[in-house]
Amino acid sequence: MYSAGQTKSLQQLGTAFLKKDAKHPITVKEIKELRDVLRFHEYRYYILNDPLISDFEYDQLFKALEKLEEEHPKLITPDSPTQRVSKGLTKEFPAAPHLVPMLSLENSYNDQDLVDWDRRARELAKLDTIEYCVEPKFDGASISLIYENDLLSRGATRGDGVSGDEITTNIKQIRSVPLSARFSDHGIQTIEIRGEVLMTKNNFKKYNDQLAEQNLPPLANPRNAAAGSLRIKDPKEVSRRNLEAFLYNISYHTTLPGKKEDRQLQTHSGCLEMLWELGFRSPVKEKKVLKGIDAVIKYCHQFESMRDDLPYEIDGMVIKVNDVDIQDRLGMTTHHPRWAIAYKFKARQGTSKLRAVEFQVGRTGSITPVAKIDPVPIGGVTVGSISLFNEDVIREKDLKIGDTVLVERAGDVIPYIVKPLAELRTGKEKKIVFPTHCPVCGDKLVKPVDEAVWRCNNINCEAQVVERIIHFTSKDAMDIRGFGDANVRKFFELGFLKDIPGIYTLPFDKIRSLEGFGEKSITNLQGAIETSKQQPLHRLIFALGIRYAGETTAKVLAHAVKHLLEFQDLSLEDLQNLEDVGPKVAGSIHQFFHNWDNIKMLKRLEELGLKLKNDKKDLVAGGNLVGQTFLFTGTLPTLKRSDAEALVESNGGKLLGSVSSKLNYLVVGEDAGSKLEKAKKIPSVKIISEAEFMQMVNR
Ligand code: IVH
C-alpha cells in the first residue's frame, strides 16, 4: 500500500505537523496532506498492527484536522478520517438488497470429504489438477461493502442472503475498513466485497470483563459479540467495541468506461492481494496457493494446530478454486458455489447430562445458578460445572434436570450450555426450582426490579464475607500470593479469619500447627501479606469489592482523592462528575462510604499499615517519570494504550513517536513488532513490560 519512500515522507510530514504550534499552525493548504498522514497512521495501526506514532500523537493530529474542518466546513470530504465519527443514534437499518446473493459454503468435516469434493470439481472442470487458494474461515458476522467511484457507499449485513440490513454508519466505526480506496487505479467503478466482522479474543475478553463489572451476564462467544455489535443503534458504542474486518471475496464489479479488466482479478489470490494493496485487511498473509488436494489437506491440519495461537477465532478453513474462469465454469447450486468449500475444524462441543443445579452466593449477594454436568472433555479441557448466570437464562433455554445438554467451549472462553436436546427427553426430567431463601444464611432472597439476578441482602451472610475476603486477596486486587480460595475458606471455618482486616492479624502460631503448613509456606504467606500493604490505592479500592466499581472505575476513583476517606464527603453529584461514573456507580460508591461498618474497616486497615493515601496526588508537579521518555508497542495486558500514555504524562514523563537513541523506555506488550526489533539494537533503550512500567509509576 505504501512504498518505503511514501512511508518515510508521510512519517516525516506527520512529525513536522506535530512540531507545529499556535504560532505556526497547520494551514488550510495542508489539509489534504494532514488527511493523508492520518490515513497512513490508521493503516499502520489497524492493518499492519505496527504503529509509528503514539495514540497521543495521533489524537493531536486528528484534533488539528477537526479544527481545520470546523473552520472550513466546505473542505470536508466524505472520506476524511473525521467522517467515521457519527453523532446521534441510528433510527433504523433499511433493507439492503445484495448485488449478488450472499451464498453460504458447502461444509466438509474430514479429509475424505475434501478428496471427494476435489475429484468432483476436477471431473466437472475437465482438469487433472486444480490450483486452490486456502484461507481461514473467520468466525464472525458476514458483511458486504460497496464502493462506488472509490468511495465506500454502503455496508450491509448478510440477512437472508438476498437482502440484508444497511449498516453503513456502523461499518464506518470499524477502523480497518477504508472510507475510500483507489479501485479506479485498477479500472474498477463499482465493486462489492465480502468479508467478516469479528472481535479479537483479547477485545472480547475485555468486553466481557466490562459486562461483569456491571453484573451483566457475559456474551457467549466472539461471534455473537460481533454480530450483536453490528446491530447496535449507537455508533459510538459500536466504535468502543473495537471490531475488526477481514475482507475475502470480490463478488461483483463493473469496469470504468474505456478500461480493461485488471489481470489481478483473474485469480482469487490476486483479488486478495489487490484488496491488501488498497488498504483492506484481506487474509494475504494467511492464505496459501496450493496445487492438488493433498497439499490443501496438509495446510488445513497445520492451521488447525495453530488455532489457539491466533488472536481471533476461526472455525475452519475455506478452500477456493484460484482461477476465476474455472470458478465460472463450475458455477453454483442454489445454496453454494461449487468452486469453494469449508473445511470445518473439530467442534468444541460435547453433550452431557445435567445432573443438578447448585446456587452459589457471590460477594455482592448475587445468587448464581451453576449447572453440574457429567464431566465431558471439550477441546482438551474437562468440563463439569457451568455457570448459568441467572434465572432468565434457565428459563430462556428451558433447561431441566436430567436433560442431555449441548455444551460449547470456544478457545479460552468459559464453557456454556448451548441448549438442551429436547428430542432426547424421556419425560422424567425435573423442573429447576429457584430458591426463595439464601442457601447459606437462610435470608429471604430479593430481586430488584431492574435486575435479572436474585440477591441475598444480608451483608453478614457468611458466603458473602468469605467471597469478599477471597476477592480482596485475589490477583487483580491486593494480589496476596499463596493465600487462595482454599486457605481463605479454611481459616474462616477454623475461626482464624472473620473479616478483611483479619488478613493482617492472622494467628500464625495456630496456623503453624495445621497440616500442610510448612515454615517456608508460612514465611511466604507472611511476606505476601506484608507486601500487599504497599499496593497502590486503586488496587485497594478495587479489592473492597464495591458494587459496579471494577478496575477501571477504581483507577478513576483513586485519582480523584488524596485520601480514601475523602469519599465520605463527596455527594452523589460530585461522584457523577468523575469520568465514566454514572448514577448507578455513583450510588453504589456513595452507599459504601456512608456505611459506618465500612468506614470502621477502612480505619482499621490504615492502622494496620495499608495505604489509604494517594501518593501520586502530592507528586503531580514532580512525578515519578520526570525526565524520562517512553514509547509503547504491542497490546498491553491490562492497560489501554491511551491510559498508559496518560499515565506517562500525568507522572511527568514524555512520550516519543518512534524508537531512537532519545528513547529511555520501550514498554512492550503482546505482538510487539518492528519497534521492539529496532529497540534491541540500541543498547541505551530499556525494554520493559507493563508490570515494570507500573512499578516505575507507583514507586
Ligand atoms: S467465501 C460465495 N471465505 O462462512 C462464497 N467465507 O458458511 C462466499 N466465511 O457466509 C464465502 N471466512 O460468512 C468465505 N475466508 C472466507 C470466510 C467465509 C468466513 C463465512 C462467510 C460465509 C460462511 C459460509
Side-chain angles (χ1 to χ4, degrees), residues 598-609:
N598 290 335
I599 301 300
K600 250 189 349 209
M601 170 179 72
L602 291 175
K603 289 189 169 159
R604 177 84 184 111
L605 287 175
E606 191 164 38
E607 277 167 25
L608 289 164

Side-chain angles (χ1 to χ4, degrees), residues 103-105 135-138 142 158 196 248 318 320 337 339:
L103 302 179
S104 63
L105 292 170
E135 65 202 39
K137 184 169 187 306
F138 302 100
S142 41
R158 177 175 187 276
E196 206 84 358
Y248 47 64
V318 183
K320 298 174 180 171
W339 48 264

Side-chain angles (χ1 to χ4, degrees), residues 87-107:
K87 295 186 188 83
L89 300 182
T90 313
K91 286 199 185 67
E92 55 175 345
F93 301 118
H98 298 303
L99 301 185
V100 176
M102 280 178 89
L103 302 179
S104 63
L105 292 170
E106 185 182 350
N107 284 329

Side-chain angles (χ1 to χ4, degrees), residues 337-618:
R338 287 199 196 89
W339 48 264
I341 192 163
Y343 175 84
K344 300 275 273 190
F345 290 159
K346 271 169 224 68
R348 276 140 168 202
Q349 287 188 335
T351 54
S352 181
K353 272 251 171 333
L354 175 60
R355 296 292 175 195
V357 174
E358 286 178 3
F359 296 89
Q360 290 180 356
V361 188
R363 107 185 112 78
T364 57
S366 55
I367 308 291
T368 306
V370 178
K372 297 285 164 183
I373 59 167
D374 287 343
V376 53
I378 305 175
V381 175
T382 303
V383 181
S385 284
I386 304 177
S387 173
L388 297 170
F389 304 108
N390 61 44
E391 195 185 10
D392 296 344
V393 172
I394 297 179
R395 203 167 301 131
E396 277 158 24
K397 299 204 163 150
D398 183 31
L399 284 173
K400 292 194 163 73
I401 309 274
D403 265 337
T404 305
V405 287
L406 183 63
V407 181
E408 188 168 308
R409 197 192 128 257
D412 33 17
V413 177
I414 48 170
Y416 69 102
I417 292 188
V418 183
K419 58 176 184 184
L421 301 178
E423 319 73 85
L424 301 183
R425 280 187 179 150
T426 59
K428 288 196 185 133
E429 293 73 20
K430 284 202 207 88
K431 198 170 168 240
I432 298 167
V433 187
F434 220 87
T436 52
H437 291 78
C438 174
V440 177
C441 72
D443 247 38
K444 196 164 166 31
L445 298 180
V446 290
K447 184 153 137 179
V449 206
D450 54 346
E451 287 188 25
V453 184
W454 284 93
R455 295 188 173 277
C456 160
N457 272 343
N458 169 15
I459 57 164
N460 295 319
C461 169
E462 282 192 3
Q464 288 185 47
V465 177
V466 170
E467 292 301 327
R468 280 203 291 271
I469 302 175
I470 290 175
H471 173 74
F472 190 89
T473 62
S474 67
K475 188 161 166 281
D476 294 333
M478 299 300 268
D479 193 18
I480 310 185
R481 308 228 169 131
F483 218 129
D485 302 17
N487 283 337
V488 173
R489 288 186 208 285
K490 185 184 273 168
F491 298 160
F492 190 87
E493 266 168 38
L494 294 169
F496 297 170
L497 178 62
K498 289 194 181 68
D499 51 18
I500 288 171
I503 295 170
Y504 297 92
T505 56
L506 277 176
F508 278 102
D509 47 333
K510 289 185 187 145
I511 293 174
R512 211 167 257 120
S513 60
L514 292 179
E515 206 181 309
F517 281 89
E519 207 44 52
K520 185 137 182 263
S521 59
I522 297 235
T523 318
N524 287 347
L525 185 55
Q526 279 173 323
I529 292 174
E530 210 40 47
T531 314
S532 75
K533 292 181 178 171
Q534 296 310 316
Q535 289 287 19
L537 185 57
H538 68 87
R539 274 187 174 261
L540 174 62
I541 297 177
F542 175 64
L544 294 172
I546 306 170
R547 257 183 96 187
Y548 308 122
E551 284 177 274
T552 323
T553 312
K555 281 183 191 149
V556 173
L557 294 177
H559 219 76
V561 289
K562 277 191 178 169
H563 191 283
L564 189 54
L565 290 175
E566 281 173 32
F567 280 111
Q568 287 181 96
D569 306 324
L570 296 195
S571 67
L572 276 171
E573 205 185 341
D574 295 335
L575 290 167
Q576 281 192 57
N577 282 334
L578 298 173
E579 198 190 325
D580 282 339
V581 175
K584 213 157 91 170
V585 186
S588 166
I589 299 164
H590 193 261
Q591 198 181 9
F592 185 92
F593 286 97
H594 284 81
N595 176 323
W596 181 238
D597 285 337
N598 290 335
I599 301 300
K600 250 189 349 209
M601 170 179 72
L602 291 175
K603 289 189 169 159
R604 177 84 184 111
L605 287 175
E606 191 164 38
E607 277 167 25
L608 289 164
L610 276 81
K611 276 202 315 200
L612 270 63
K613 268 172 89 175
N614 177 359
D615 301 344
K616 265 186 286 163
K617 210 58 186 174
D618 306 327

Side-chain angles (χ1 to χ4, degrees), residues 160-203:
D160 61 5
V162 176
S163 175
D165 287 342
E166 199 245 87
I167 49 159
T168 316
T169 316
N170 283 354
I171 290 290
K172 285 187 180 169
Q173 310 310 315
I174 306 172
R175 308 292 217 117
S176 55
V177 172
L179 297 182
S180 63
R182 298 173 64 107
F183 286 109
S184 54
D185 287 356
H186 297 267
I188 295 170
Q189 184 161 34
T190 300
I191 185 164
E192 185 183 42
I193 43 189
R194 304 257 161 102
E196 206 84 358
V197 167
L198 35 92
M199 204 184 251
T200 59
K201 293 175 188 170
N202 224 337
N203 282 333

Side-chain angles (χ1 to χ4, degrees), residues 22-178:
K23 261 200 194 150
H24 311 278
I26 305 174
T27 66
V28 67
K29 277 193 201 131
E30 292 163 311
I31 197 163
K32 186 182 166 300
E33 287 176 325
L34 180 55
R35 280 189 195 122
D36 287 342
V37 167
L38 277 162
R39 282 194 201 106
F40 164 72
H41 285 300
E42 287 180 354
Y43 177 79
R44 297 290 313 193
Y45 191 99
Y46 293 104
I47 305 286
L48 299 188
N49 254 328
D50 186 18
L52 292 176
I53 55 172
S54 66
D55 288 7
F56 175 74
E57 287 166 320
Y58 176 85
D59 288 346
Q60 300 294 100
L61 293 172
F62 193 89
K63 279 185 196 139
L65 177 61
E66 274 184 328
K67 187 160 170 278
L68 279 178
E69 289 183 345
E70 219 174 271
E71 289 161 6
H72 308 275
K74 281 206 185 111
L75 297 181
I76 300 176
T77 58
D79 63 339
S80 168
T82 58
Q83 297 307 295
R84 290 188 191 272
V85 186
S86 153
K87 295 186 188 83
L89 300 182
T90 313
K91 286 199 185 67
E92 55 175 345
F93 301 118
H98 298 303
L99 301 185
V100 176
M102 280 178 89
L103 302 179
S104 63
L105 292 170
E106 185 182 350
N107 284 329
S108 69
Y109 297 92
N110 56 47
D111 302 355
Q112 190 57 45
D113 287 350
L114 285 185
V115 170
D116 294 343
W117 174 75
D118 167 64
R119 187 177 20 79
R120 269 180 278 131
R122 282 187 293 111
E123 279 166 12
L124 264 172
K126 299 194 172 50
L127 288 168
D128 290 338
T129 44
I130 293 184
E131 185 178 80
Y132 295 111
C133 183
V134 188
E135 65 202 39
K137 184 169 187 306
F138 302 100
D139 198 6
S142 41
I143 51 158
S144 128
L145 305 177
I146 298 179
Y147 287 77
E148 286 171 292
N149 299 315
D150 293 349
L151 275 186
L152 172 66
S153 62
R154 192 189 82 176
T157 60
R158 177 175 187 276
D160 61 5
V162 176
S163 175
D165 287 342
E166 199 245 87
I167 49 159
T168 316
T169 316
N170 283 354
I171 290 290
K172 285 187 180 169
Q173 310 310 315
I174 306 172
R175 308 292 217 117
S176 55
V177 172

